[in-house]
Amino acid sequence: MLDGFYIFLESGVVSYEKLLTPTLTPTKARNVVNELIGVHILESRGGDSKTVVIDNYAVEWRRDNSLGFVVVALYGNVLRGKLSYLSSLLDKVVKKWRKFTEGVGSGGEPEPEKVSTEWEPVFSRMLREAETSSLKSKFGGVGDASINNGTTADRTAKGKETKAGKGKKAAASSNPNKKLSKTQAAALDFSGENQSEDQILQDARNTFLPEEGDVAGWDEEDEDYSDEEEEDGGGGGGGGWGLGLKNMLSQVTGNRVLTEADLVPVLETLQQTLVSKNVASEIAKEICTSVRSSLVGKKMSTFSTVKATVLPALEQALERVMTPRQPIDILRDCVTKRETRSNQPYTAVFVGINGVGKSTSLAKTAYYLKQNGCKPLIAACDTFRSGAVEQLNVHAKCLDVPLFQKGYSKDPSSVARAAIQKAKEDGNDVVLVDTAGRMQNNVPLMTALNKLIVENKPDAVIFVCEALVGNDGVSQLQMFSRALSSSNSKTGVDGVILTKFDTVSDKVGSAVTLSHVTGVPVIFVGVGQKYNHLKKLSVRAVVKSLFKD
């Protein structure tokens, strides 16, 4: 049940990399490993082994100080403490790799071809033996734990159940179109193991539920532009966002009419600033063109401020760029549908690539709707990722909203259909559908998702994307929209939720680019872990972030 395995030198050079499941993408794996190296290993050289959690992955490693290399295993945090064979496997890999690299040279870096042809089969055999031994130990040593090429992702259910081996947990296939057996489905269910359910629920409540008196993100008012920030040395001497804009216009302010020649150097600086904050160059140019048309011929008085002169032009330009072709308001649309007395719940399907925070974003949306008088029901339609149903069940209990689930190995489209019917019967006016993460270029998985959309005809398809990916999110969204478009269904994606938005204030321009290029609105941004850490993206907030020094 490992997701990935790495061996690298303490310098950061990767000697061996193996991704074992499709849920762990190369980019995600590298991000996790980079954080492990930069934050946990380099800052704690005294420790030769440890387990940490990074971005929902448990990461366990062993260090060999004599040769200066580290072996690392990555797996879903839900499995932490459940892979009994892992500690022994890591120790064995350290010994084998030490022997494998004997005589390599001072750099300690073996040839890639040698790693591929000689080390790869050694590691695959070690992993296969470790997993097989673990299964035999747990289920009496009976049964065929068949593993293709030693990888968890390729494991199949070829083993026949015997009386002694009945109920053995076999790993699920990564192919969502292949129906899982009961034993495979059971392998994905980790409820009741290790921590008690009460303890898990209490930990989740401490993590996600807002503190008493907290103001919800969607109720927070954007800070007004401060006149003090526009004065040199204002705000305690720090360079405020307004100071940056004032410096741009300092050469042209005065009691005269602005000409296009006056604005050329200013707009060049403005365009460079926008591009540096992840606004696409063509969009930055469009914004500057709009600002120029608003300011040419405008008289600047001696006492003009940046706020009074430039901000209205900037806000209008950004508002035009960020106004979607088809606006969406989940709360408004939900209430509207409820008031039509159609007895049909408002349905929103949450989609996106692996590990971006779909389930948490769905839970935040459920909290938002419930706080505003709606009665949401959550549908667990990620029926393939281990621990997905349990994770969603914890959120549902924290939120005190119903969860509809059929366990694992079921057709997600059928589960969604049954959930909508259940909501109708119980009077729930919103159904929020969780789906399995998938890469946008994975044709079979995208076809399965398209089936869910076509058969259930949701009111909205919400694409969840990390703000950290910057403008790569545009290509992800475009590919999802194309894949989900069909002749007999709605066109693609209706709205976007950007997660981890609080970590990218200096690169907020990617949100501007995404809205403008795709025409799909950013309906919410995630700004923290709590359920109420969900904000609506406002032009004023974008302006302040774009021009913060």
Side-chain angles (χ1 to χ4, degrees), residues 354-387:
N354 314 295
V356 296
K358 285 188 306 300
S359 298
T360 303
S361 296
L362 182 150
K364 289 181 177 180
T365 305
Y367 181 85
Y368 165 73
L369 293 171
K370 184 178 179 183
Q371 291 296 305
N372 285 279
C374 297
K375 295 177 60 179
L377 175 143
I378 297 174
C381 295
D382 180 354
T383 61
F384 298 98
R385 179 173 62 90
S386 61

Side-chain angles (χ1 to χ4, degrees), residues 207-208 360-361 364 498-503 525-535:
T207 300
F208 297 109
T360 303
S361 296
K364 289 181 177 180
L498 285 177
T499 63
K500 302 180 183 178
F501 196 74
D502 52 319
T503 66
V525 293
V527 291
Q529 279 190 305
K530 303 290 186 182
Y531 289 138
N532 63 346
H533 290 166
L534 200 65
K535 286 181 70 73

Side-chain angles (χ1 to χ4, degrees), residues 274-286:
L274 291 169
V275 172
S276 72
K277 298 298 179 74
N278 257 23
V279 178
S281 58
E282 63 275 14
I283 299 174
K285 184 176 180 180
E286 182 178 333

Side-chain angles (χ1 to χ4, degrees), residues 78-79 187-190 382 384-393 408:
V78 70
L79 300 179
L188 301 176
D189 187 348
F190 294 96
D382 180 354
F384 298 98
R385 179 173 62 90
S386 61
V389 176
E390 289 71 34
Q391 178 188 11
L392 212 56
N393 186 43
Y408 296 96

Side-chain angles (χ1 to χ4, degrees), residues 1 146 152-159 161 167-175 178-190 383-387 407-410:
M1 301 291 280
S146 177
T152 303
D154 295 328
R155 190 181 299 154
T156 62
K158 293 180 181 178
E161 289 184 3
K168 180 181 70 174
K169 293 187 176 183
S173 166
S174 62
N175 182 3
K178 185 174 181 180
K179 188 174 182 180
L180 304 181
S181 67
K182 290 182 178 179
T183 53
Q184 287 177 308
L188 301 176
D189 187 348
F190 294 96
T383 61
F384 298 98
R385 179 173 62 90
S386 61
Y408 296 96
S409 78
K410 302 296 188 296

Side-chain angles (χ1 to χ4, degrees), residues 27-101:
T27 300
K28 175 69 71 175
R30 292 189 200 105
N31 289 341
V32 171
V33 171
N34 287 340
E35 182 171 340
L36 173 69
I37 295 172
V39 176
H40 299 281
I41 292 181
L42 295 183
E43 293 184 0
S44 57
R45 291 190 175 273
D48 297 332
S49 64
K50 196 175 181 181
T51 304
V52 297
V53 177
I54 302 175
D55 202 9
N56 291 325
Y57 283 96
V59 186
E60 188 166 342
W61 79 83
R62 297 287 188 276
R63 185 209 313 269
D64 184 280
N65 289 321
S66 60
L67 296 182
F69 67 86
V70 183
V71 297
V72 180
L74 288 74
Y75 53 97
N77 187 36
V78 70
L79 300 179
R80 189 174 184 183
K82 299 179 175 67
L83 303 182
S84 57
Y85 63 85
L86 184 54
S87 180
S88 174
L89 174 65
L90 287 168
D91 291 337
K92 290 179 180 177
V93 170
V94 169
K95 293 178 182 179
K96 285 283 187 181
W97 184 261
R98 187 187 300 139
K99 185 174 182 180
F100 176 71
T101 55

Side-chain angles (χ1 to χ4, degrees), residues 246-273:
K246 184 170 184 177
N247 288 338
M248 288 184 196
L249 286 177
S250 60
Q251 56 190 306
V252 296
T253 53
N255 191 19
R256 63 194 184 96
V257 174
L258 289 173
T259 66
E260 190 160 343
D262 290 328
L263 291 171
V264 167
V266 177
L267 294 177
E268 287 179 351
T269 303
L270 176 59
Q271 185 170 336
Q272 291 171 4
T273 300

